[in-house]
Amino acid sequence: MTANPRPSVPFVDLRPQNVAINDEAVGAFAEICESGAFVLGPQVRRFEEEYAAFAGVEHCIGVGNGTDALVLALRGAGIGAGDEVIVPANTFVATAEAVAIVGADLVLADCDEDFLIDPVDVARRVTGRTRAVIGVDLYGQVAPFEQLREAVGGDVLLVEDAAQSQGASRNGRPAGSFGVAAGTSFYPGKNLGAYGDAGAVTTGSAEIADRVRALRNHGGVAKYEHLDVGTNSRLDSVQAAVLSLKLERLKGWNAERDEAAQRYATLLADLPGVVLPRVLPGNQHVWHLYVARVADRDRVLRELLDAGVGAGIHYPAPVHLWPAFSWLGHGAGSFPVAEALAQEIISLPMFPGITGEQQEIVADALSQAVRR
Ligand SMILES: *Cc1c(COP(=O)(O)O)cnc(C)c1O
């Protein structure tokens, strides 16, 4: 025990963001209470317009969460039973859940060393029943959609899981605008986070947008209009008001993440056995997560946590190794890159407002752990 222990560093700290919008948010909440328009109110329509412009698409439809956004994007694009949908094996489970929920057949593909879906492996998994591929912008970097298009040919739909990439771009094109439709999540910890669950579908297709708008609200746009078997996945006005206030500041917050990523790159450059994340050519990364690779990861993680440094694993196993997806029948060894990465990845503290001093504490703790 040292007399003066170093302060701990949280994995994520949302308080600076909340403080920045708090006064305006409270005003907006009072207005919503006064109006009584708690669900799909004018704040929702306003945020949908703002977010569509931000993502460079014609249409944004606010929904209840990111998983629903993916489900509704798939349903909106007409994907369902009898269709095969290819998804990267190394993603948050929701990407795979969405495919299962719409009744399509889940086909997994391996990833590359930069954590993104591998177009070469995707090409091997295309069959006559392949309807779509979901590119996941994992950790905040847009998936290689041009290479995916080449891999699958012209008839297969591309869908984007943009839950981790608000504000990112690839070759100048914003995240959320790749493919026929994208689903994004505004879970509080995402780059653009609500004060609870929220999500959105973005699309350039008026047809898909109309269908999603109906599906999120019991299959019709007007009350007691049920044209299709829909669901209840509406965005509420409180979340939309928060999202509008945060969207105004997102560019600045993403710039702070980028500065922090560059600082980590300097601080961690010479650590033995540590592989730092790369930004692919053409990509503007928004560092939802800062994921490095280390040997003996479980011990390193434990030592970081013991030193008071918040760190995590995103994600501890690829989709096929979760009990929920054992019915796919893929044992260990089926997706070798995803499986190897799952043993080595470690997510370091990353959030707007993280200080240089906090990052030095992280770097020192990691340095000690990997040199042991
Ligand atoms: C967060 C996330 C989702 C799901 O979003 P929820 O709002 O939690 O339902 C889907 N895909 C990825 C890659 C995510 O990170």
Side-chain angles (χ1 to χ4, degrees), residues 34 60 80 88 106 111 156 177-178 216 229 235 239 271 298 304 307:
E34 185 65 30
C60 169
L106 178 62
C111 60
V156 173
S177 71
F178 292 83
R216 76 166 168 186
V229 179
L235 183 60
Q239 303 308 342
L271 291 193
D298 289 343
L304 286 186

Side-chain angles (χ1 to χ4, degrees), residues 27-119:
F29 299 162
E31 215 174 282
I32 293 165
C33 289
E34 185 65 30
S35 76
F38 290 106
V39 172
L40 295 182
Q43 293 80 5
V44 172
R45 274 185 295 280
R46 190 176 69 213
F47 172 69
E48 288 176 338
E49 282 172 21
E50 292 165 355
Y51 199 75
F54 181 77
V57 292
E58 281 297 306
H59 312 278
C60 169
I61 304 97
V63 299
N65 57 69
T67 308
D68 283 355
L70 291 169
V71 167
L72 295 172
L74 293 172
R75 284 192 68 189
I79 295 161
D83 297 328
E84 289 178 0
V85 178
I86 303 176
V87 166
N90 67 324
T91 182
F92 179 56
V93 70
T95 323
E97 284 175 326
V99 174
I101 288 168
V102 304
D105 294 327
L106 178 62
V107 176
L108 298 178
D110 212 343
C111 60
D112 61 22
E113 302 276 321
D114 293 299
F115 313 118
L116 297 173
I117 188 168
D118 177 9

Side-chain angles (χ1 to χ4, degrees), residues 65-67 70 91-92 94-95 136 161 163-164 185 187 190 198 315:
N65 57 69
T67 308
L70 291 169
T91 182
F92 179 56
T95 323
V136 179
D161 180 339
Q164 301 189 356
S185 165
Y187 178 78
K190 302 287 158 111
Y315 298 91

Side-chain angles (χ1 to χ4, degrees), residues 46-355:
R46 190 176 69 213
F47 172 69
E48 288 176 338
E49 282 172 21
E50 292 165 355
Y51 199 75
F54 181 77
V57 292
E58 281 297 306
H59 312 278
C60 169
I61 304 97
V63 299
N65 57 69
T67 308
D68 283 355
L70 291 169
V71 167
L72 295 172
L74 293 172
R75 284 192 68 189
I79 295 161
D83 297 328
E84 289 178 0
V85 178
I86 303 176
V87 166
N90 67 324
T91 182
F92 179 56
V93 70
T95 323
E97 284 175 326
V99 174
I101 288 168
V102 304
D105 294 327
L106 178 62
V107 176
L108 298 178
D110 212 343
C111 60
D112 61 22
E113 302 276 321
D114 293 299
F115 313 118
L116 297 173
I117 188 168
D118 177 9
V120 176
D121 197 52
V122 167
R124 287 188 206 115
R125 301 184 190 268
V126 172
T127 74
R129 288 204 297 126
T130 305
R131 271 299 301 289
V133 181
I134 305 182
V136 179
D137 303 339
L138 203 68
Y139 307 151
Q141 164 158 249
V142 175
F145 280 94
E146 318 79 37
Q147 287 95 318
L148 284 176
R149 170 55 69 213
E150 281 171 30
V152 298
D155 294 334
V156 173
L157 302 175
L158 301 182
V159 173
E160 183 181 6
D161 180 339
Q164 301 189 356
S165 59
Q166 295 100 2
S169 65
R170 184 173 172 90
N171 299 321
R173 204 170 137 181
S177 71
F178 292 83
V180 286
T184 193
S185 165
F186 306 123
Y187 178 78
K190 302 287 158 111
N191 286 43
L192 180 61
Y195 279 5
D197 277 312
V201 175
T202 50
T203 179
S205 158
E207 200 183 316
I208 292 176
D210 286 349
R211 222 174 293 147
V212 171
R213 231 172 254 291
L215 288 171
R216 76 166 168 186
N217 193 18
H218 303 299
V221 172
K223 205 167 195 175
Y224 305 126
E225 174 188 70
H226 311 293
L227 309 171
D228 206 344
V229 179
T231 186
N232 172 6
S233 188
R234 299 173 296 227
L235 183 60
D236 68 60
S237 309
V238 164
Q239 303 308 342
V242 167
L243 290 168
S244 283
L245 291 170
K246 284 194 168 185
L247 184 58
E248 289 174 30
R249 295 154 172 91
L250 183 58
K251 259 202 174 124
W253 288 334
N254 280 343
E256 290 180 36
R257 288 177 187 268
D258 197 49
E259 273 170 43
Q262 291 182 37
R263 207 180 292 130
Y264 271 142
T266 307
L267 289 169
L268 307 176
D270 300 320
L271 291 193
V274 177
V275 181
L276 299 181
R278 294 198 309 168
V279 180
L280 297 178
N283 268 359
Q284 178 95 45
H285 201 313
V286 289
W287 306 106
H288 173 59
L289 294 168
Y290 190 89
V291 178
R293 293 165 60 185
V294 295
D296 205 3
R297 191 270 323 274
D298 289 343
R299 180 186 58 79
V300 170
L301 175 63
R302 217 176 316 114
E303 291 190 19
L304 286 186
L305 296 174
D306 286 347
V309 169
I313 307 174
H314 300 86
Y315 298 91
V319 169
H320 63 289
L321 299 181
W322 294 118
F325 290 92
S326 60
W327 50 270
L328 289 170
H330 301 305
S334 306
F335 300 92
V337 181
E339 289 171 34
L341 290 175
Q343 303 301 314
E344 299 176 3
I345 47 180
I346 187 161
S347 311
L348 302 179
M350 170 56 77
F351 50 89
I354 189 170
T355 64

